[in-house]
Amino acid sequence: MNIEFEKAYEAWLGLLLEKETNLRVRSRIENGLEHATLEFLRSVWFPVIRNFNHLHPEWEVQDFHNGYRYLDLAFLPGNGVKGGIEIQGYGPHARDLDVRRFKDLCWRHCLLTLDDWTFLPIAYLSIKEEPKRCQQLVLSFMGKFVATDTPSSFNWLEAECIRYARRLLRPFTPSELATHLGITDHHARRILHNLVIQQVLHVASGKQRYRTYALRT
């Protein structure tokens, strides 16, 4: 996994630098991504997304005072979609945060929201201690923007079940899936059973009778 990540990461950065015309952004990328951002990509993003398509580090945005701010990562798949990811380190963002910096951080989030960004802050400690939970969060984040590709061998109900699972941050019941798809509970259980066999989903709770399911990460 590390070798695969390193190859994909180096290819991604090389392509970004080849295309980048903003000298400020280019300089920031050439200086290297912050450790927390790199750990997020290595432990959370790449294991579940498997690529860096539409992902841009050190993305420059302009504030209301004609100054420049930089997002750790921007997800820009097109059609006006704008997703921002920031890794919140404990030191600079919490323990050492004074009143002025706290106010500035709040303004930053407000301005991004007003500019139609969907913003995802993730604590660095969560990346280190709860990577699987963060992976599920990223899948749900992606699910807000794109109809994630599913293998063509799946029928539309199975494909929609996978997309439904990707949008949730928790396990779900067959009844919830049945309501979402407009089918019977029995039919929903049959779909879930097939996806468990294909190792797309896993049983989150229940032994003799499965109660909840979740996306396998």
Side-chain angles (χ1 to χ4, degrees):
M1 171 65 72
N2 282 339
I3 295 176
E4 186 180 357
F5 168 80
E6 293 298 337
K7 287 183 177 179
Y9 177 75
E10 291 299 327
W12 174 58
L13 285 189
L15 185 62
L16 288 171
L17 289 171
E18 181 181 321
K19 294 182 176 181
E20 185 57 64
T21 58
N22 185 319
L23 295 181
R24 290 183 300 271
V25 174
R26 183 183 182 87
S27 176
R28 292 175 72 95
I29 296 175
E30 287 177 335
N31 287 336
L33 303 190
E34 293 186 2
H35 171 74
T37 303
L38 185 57
E39 280 301 305
F40 168 77
L41 294 172
R42 188 196 313 276
S43 302
V44 178
W45 183 277
F46 191 74
V48 290
I49 305 302
R50 311 299 299 168
N51 62 63
F52 301 113
N53 297 347
H54 313 302
L55 198 64
H56 303 268
E58 301 297 336
W59 185 259
E60 186 176 272
V61 293
Q62 198 167 10
D63 63 22
F64 284 172
H65 303 290
N66 294 320
Y68 298 105
R69 298 170 181 264
Y70 297 88
L71 301 181
D72 291 339
L73 295 162
F75 178 66
L76 306 168
N79 297 322
V81 169
K82 296 185 289 188
I85 301 171
E86 290 228 310
I87 315 306
Q88 311 284 19
Y90 177 69
H93 290 287
R95 187 185 59 220
D96 302 327
L97 202 63
D98 60 25
V99 173
R100 182 186 60 80
R101 291 185 62 197
F102 175 72
K103 286 170 62 178
D104 183 70
L105 185 63
C106 291
W107 275 113
R108 173 189 177 92
H109 290 188
C110 288
L111 297 178
L112 288 168
T113 300
L114 291 173
D115 196 31
D116 297 325
W117 286 83
T118 297
F119 195 63
L120 186 70
I122 299 181
Y124 176 69
L125 287 178
S126 293
I127 295 170
K128 300 299 291 183
E129 298 173 1
E130 306 171 288
K132 291 291 184 182
R133 191 176 183 186
C134 291
Q135 288 171 8
Q136 189 65 48
L137 182 68
V138 163
L139 288 172
S140 298
F141 176 73
M142 294 285 283
K144 292 181 66 66
F145 305 126
V146 294
T148 311
D149 293 338
T150 56
S152 58
S153 58
F154 292 160
N155 62 43
W156 79 268
L157 285 173
E158 291 172 329
E160 182 55 32
C161 176
I162 295 170
R163 284 189 280 268
Y164 179 70
R166 283 172 173 157
R167 289 194 294 269
L168 291 181
L169 291 176
R170 57 170 178 77
F172 59 94
T173 66
S175 295
E176 288 176 312
L177 178 64
T179 299
H180 175 72
L181 296 178
I183 59 178
T184 65
D185 282 15
H186 178 72
H187 193 176
R189 285 187 177 277
R190 194 161 66 237
I191 292 170
L192 292 166
H193 176 72
N194 289 338
L195 292 175
V196 168
I197 291 176
Q198 296 180 68
Q199 297 187 332
V200 177
L201 301 180
H202 71 92
V203 177
S205 67
K207 293 184 178 180
Q208 293 184 339
R209 183 172 177 81
Y210 300 155
R211 293 194 296 272
T212 61
Y213 297 78
L215 193 69
R216 184 181 293 274
T217 58

